[in-house]
Amino acid sequence: MDFSLFYFADDSTSGGDAGRYELLLEGARFADRNGFRAVWTPERHFHPFGGLYPNPSVVGAALAMITSRVAIRAGSVVAPLHHPLRIAEEWAVVDNLSGGRAGVSLASGWHPVDFALGRAPYEDRKRLLADSLEQLRGLWRGEGVEVVDGNGAPATVRAFPPPVQRELPLWVTSAGDAETFRTAARARAGVLTHLLHQDVDELAGKIAEYRRAARAAHDGWQGHVVLMLHSFLGADRDEVRATVEAPLRAYLRSSVHLLARSFGALDPDFDIDALEDEDLDFLVDQSLDTYVEQRGLFGTVADASTTVERLRGVGVDEIACLIDFGIETKTVLDGLHHLNALRAAFDAP
């Protein structure tokens, strides 16, 4: 099992002008020194929740300059919001600055308002994702693409600078839709997923189907599955629960409107804005218990090892540990050595 760090930012308005990226930068340095596989940053727009990361290639370029070994990955680039040429150009810069450590997970988009930046309607996002993936691969290899210039004339263009890696490591981000797993398998891409809308048993079935489709389409290729999990470990289980409870509750509360509107998990006639505070608190408390007990890495290294064994058993290749969900920065950084102990325990073949 590989381990990475994943960032999403509970509140981009906190931390002060000088401190908003401290956890990102210091965490990346820690990951680089200690053998973590990658650092993942997302693309988010127009909301404090995740708003530290409007462009993962910009952040990735900064990380390239302070690290030397850890992979620098987008989790994710929202493909329908960008021309594949721009994605190829930006990530080729990151690949050069990092000496060949760039990787990208492409997402179809999870919030309609983000498509104010887009090139197509929200309902076309999944088709655009599949198209962008293949175009991006070709551009990365130096192939030309036909465009129409500013005078309306046809032209053939290529992306520059040339990247270091011949092939760009690619994943497809899935919120749990089985068809997205199949799309990734057919495209010979990995999968980046989470447990917001699926449990481990449901995930196991999708991974099994993904593996079957990948092997059938690509002559035995097994694919690669990355699972994002909220993570915080310590020496004492009760102390960990006390540390994570308030920030995780606030994190879930701040994200609940986005999640409800984005994925259609609720009845379309259900108006989450009409809920009383106590009803919303009840929903968040239910989610909190589920997260702490079943859908994250919380507790001691021994507790987390049991979870990791189960995830390895269902086919997860890499756990991307989301660490910036509201715990004070120093506490998170001080606790990373517990996460590193877990990583070391699963480092041997």
Side-chain angles (χ1 to χ4, degrees):
M1 181 70 76
D2 286 328
F3 289 82
S4 301
L5 297 186
F6 196 103
Y7 291 84
F8 208 93
D10 67 311
D11 183 2
S12 61
T13 64
S14 65
D17 294 342
R20 291 190 179 120
Y21 292 96
E22 180 185 3
L23 180 54
L24 170 69
L25 299 175
E26 293 304 319
R29 290 185 177 105
F30 182 94
D32 195 55
R33 291 192 305 268
N34 288 281
F36 283 75
R37 178 63 62 188
V39 175
W40 299 80
T41 55
E43 177 181 350
R44 281 288 298 123
H45 301 285
F46 313 138
H47 199 281
F49 183 75
L52 281 180
Y53 303 107
N55 187 334
S57 68
V58 173
V59 178
L63 296 181
M65 306 312 296
I66 64 167
T67 59
S68 60
R69 295 181 296 178
V70 70
I72 298 169
R73 298 177 183 163
S76 308
V77 170
V78 183
L81 304 187
H82 311 282
H83 196 290
L85 278 162
R86 290 296 290 156
I87 301 173
E89 289 176 338
E90 292 181 3
W91 282 93
V93 172
V94 177
D95 204 46
N96 276 272
L97 290 173
S98 66
R101 292 183 281 133
V104 172
S105 187
L106 295 175
S108 61
W110 70 301
H111 202 257
V113 74
D114 292 352
F115 282 67
L117 299 173
R119 302 178 296 114
Y122 182 70
E123 58 266 24
D124 291 341
R125 64 195 185 279
K126 292 188 181 296
R127 175 185 60 80
L128 283 171
L129 169 64
D131 293 345
S132 293
L133 194 151
E134 291 309 317
Q135 291 179 55
L136 178 56
R137 276 204 172 112
L139 288 163
W140 194 267
R141 295 169 183 155
E143 298 171 9
V145 62
E146 301 300 316
V147 299
V148 177
D149 71 15
N151 292 321
T156 301
V157 297
R158 290 173 172 80
F160 294 95
V164 175
Q165 299 175 97
R166 172 64 180 166
E167 297 287 340
L168 175 64
L170 285 172
W171 292 260
V172 174
T173 301
S174 173
D177 179 31
E179 181 55 33
T180 306
F181 279 72
R182 289 189 286 268
T183 296
R186 291 191 293 266
R188 208 176 194 276
V191 171
L192 170 63
T193 190
H194 51 68
L195 295 178
L196 292 171
H197 305 290
Q198 58 189 337
D199 60 28
V200 174
D201 290 336
E202 291 169 329
L203 175 62
K206 294 166 191 173
I207 292 176
E209 185 173 350
Y210 166 73
R211 302 284 193 207
R212 285 193 295 270
R215 288 192 297 268
H218 303 289
D219 194 25
W221 180 70
Q222 293 288 327
H224 189 265
V225 177
V226 182
L227 179 65
M228 183 276 288
L229 293 178
H230 293 74
S231 304
F232 182 77
L233 303 180
D236 181 86
R237 183 184 307 167
D238 293 335
E239 289 180 3
V240 167
R241 174 73 188 228
T243 299
V244 306
E245 188 164 317
L248 189 56
R249 179 181 283 110
Y251 181 92
L252 292 170
R253 206 178 203 281
S254 69
S255 65
V256 67
H257 291 81
L258 293 174
L259 297 174
R261 292 169 180 167
S262 300
F263 296 112
L266 302 175
D267 187 300
D269 296 326
F270 179 76
D271 182 7
I272 194 166
D273 292 315
L275 285 178
E276 298 291 337
D277 282 346
E278 56 267 28
D279 295 325
L280 186 56
D281 287 339
F282 174 78
L283 290 176
V284 170
D285 286 342
Q286 293 295 104
S287 298
L288 177 71
D289 289 337
T290 300
Y291 262 82
V292 172
E293 300 300 327
Q294 303 175 27
R295 300 191 180 185
L297 288 180
F298 299 114
T300 65
V301 172
D303 295 329
S305 294
T306 301
T307 301
V308 174
E309 288 286 8
R310 184 184 182 197
L311 294 172
R312 185 163 63 175
V314 303
V316 174
D317 298 297
E318 177 181 327
I319 295 175
C321 302
L322 192 155
I323 61 173
D324 62 336
F325 56 90
I327 300 174
E328 195 270 335
T329 294
K330 184 178 185 304
T331 301
V332 176
L333 293 173
D334 289 345
L336 285 179
H337 71 277
H338 294 288
L339 202 55
N340 189 46
L342 178 67
R343 180 206 59 77
F346 286 86
D347 194 38

